[in-house]
Structures are given as C-alpha cells and as structure tokens.
Amino acid sequence: MQNKAMTKGLIARSLVRLAATKSLDKITIQEIAADCGLTKTTFYNHFRDKYDLIVWAYAEPVRKIMGRLGSGDCSVDDAILDIVRYFDENRKFILNALQNTSGQNYFLHHVARIHYAVLREFVTRGHGSGAGRPSPKLEVLMKLYAYGTVQMVCEWLLDGTPIPAEEFTAFLEAGIPEELKPLLYPAQVDDLPKS
C-alpha cells in the first residue's frame, strides 16, 4: 500500500513540475510518465486519466493538512493558514488547473467538494460539541463556508495575492459561521464565562 502511495506521489510531483512550465491541457500522460521514469501502463494502474491525477495532486496534500486537525498539534487556524500557504506555494499548478482543465469550474468544483468533505469529516468525527450527523442547517453552512472560502482563495491567487497569507487567513477565519465555531473551536467555547 505504501508503495502505491509513493508511486502516486511520484506521478503527482511530475505533473506539478510539468505544470510550472506548460499548460495542463497540453501535458500528455506520456510526458508525465516519462518525467517520472514510469510507463503509461503504470500511470493507468494508479489514475483513470490526467484529470483524475490533477484532482488527486491537489487533494492529497490538503487531506494531509486537514488530517492533522484534532491531533493536538494543529488548530483550525493552523490548518487554514497551511492551506492558504499550500495554494500560494503551488500557485503555478493551481492557476494552471483553474485555467486549463475543461474550464475554470471543473477544477474549482472538485476543490470545493474536497474542502467540504474534509470539513464535514472533521465535524462528524467527534471533534467539538454536538459531534455526529450534522443537522440540515449545519450541512448548508459547512457547504457555504467550504465553497465560499475556496472561491475566495482562488480569487486571491488570481489577483496576484496582494494580501499576505497570514492576513488573508484571518479574513477566512472571520467568515466561519457562528453555528460552526463551537464545532471547530470547542476549547474556546468551553472557556467562555457561563451566564
């Protein structure tokens, strides 16, 4: 299993490297395979197509960042900042994916779905009060926040990031819906004075 993950990572790094100098819609599977010293067959053993790889190359690092949540060494604020930094550090790949994958909405849609799924998993995994299946209202609020923040981060990148990552992260944190805050910051809620 680890060998499969290592191979997928190798293929993804090749894609990101190639995307720094060439439009994603012009990069072929043959080029990706050659860049990482593998065959096309090996590529297809791990990914359905180039677009499956593009989404995985984005999703895997984000899942790793968000997977640290609740472990004690990563707060929600840390995770948001790490994701913003990931976007900033991988700007060429992200912008290339936004601009050259069956239209901007293809990649953006997958990114938003990934962020929502990770947020929902964190909330339902038992981190924070009220863990379990979220109410319909909370589901909508989580989707609004996940999809909205992804859109804002993409616009931040497309605008050339005139705001530093740390300052931009503070804006994203300020936009967390009130009903979601107790689930993301349970210790802070517990520390509030009781009336």
Side-chain angles (χ1 to χ4, degrees), residues 106-183:
Y106 172 83
F107 183 69
L108 190 61
H109 175 72
H110 283 287
V111 168
R113 285 182 48 205
I114 291 163
H115 282 262
Y116 166 69
V118 170
L119 177 61
R120 188 179 193 286
E121 180 184 337
F122 177 76
V123 168
T124 59
R125 212 172 25 184
H127 301 285
S129 58
R133 183 174 170 89
S135 68
K137 180 181 180 181
L138 190 57
E139 290 277 0
V140 170
L141 290 172
M142 287 188 299
K143 282 184 181 178
L144 281 171
Y145 183 69
Y147 280 62
T149 55
V150 165
Q151 180 68 41
M152 290 307 302
V153 171
C154 290
E155 287 184 23
W156 176 70
L157 286 174
L158 289 166
D159 288 343
T161 62
I163 302 169
E166 291 77 9
E167 187 178 340
F168 185 70
T169 298
F171 295 144
L172 296 179
E173 291 164 2
I176 297 172
E178 288 301 317
E179 292 91 338
L180 192 52
K181 286 181 182 178
L183 301 172

Side-chain angles (χ1 to χ4, degrees), residues 19-93:
T21 60
K22 188 174 184 180
S23 173
L24 280 169
D25 58 349
K26 305 286 188 223
I27 297 172
T28 67
I29 291 170
Q30 181 62 46
E31 287 176 290
I32 297 166
D35 184 75
C36 59
L38 300 173
T39 65
K40 283 174 64 173
T41 302
T42 302
F43 176 94
Y44 285 115
N45 286 337
H46 294 84
F47 298 102
R48 285 187 314 274
D49 55 29
K50 179 173 61 174
Y51 299 100
D52 185 33
L53 168 60
I54 291 167
V55 171
W56 190 90
Y58 169 78
E60 192 61 17
V62 169
R63 284 190 182 111
K64 285 181 182 175
I65 291 168
M66 296 301 286
R68 292 178 28 232
L69 278 171
S71 65
D73 71 334
C74 182
S75 69
V76 170
D77 297 347
D78 294 334
I80 293 171
L81 179 58
D82 288 348
I83 288 173
V84 169
R85 285 180 176 153
Y86 167 79
F87 268 75
D88 198 25
E89 291 164 3
N90 293 279
R91 168 187 309 273
K92 288 182 180 178
F93 169 65

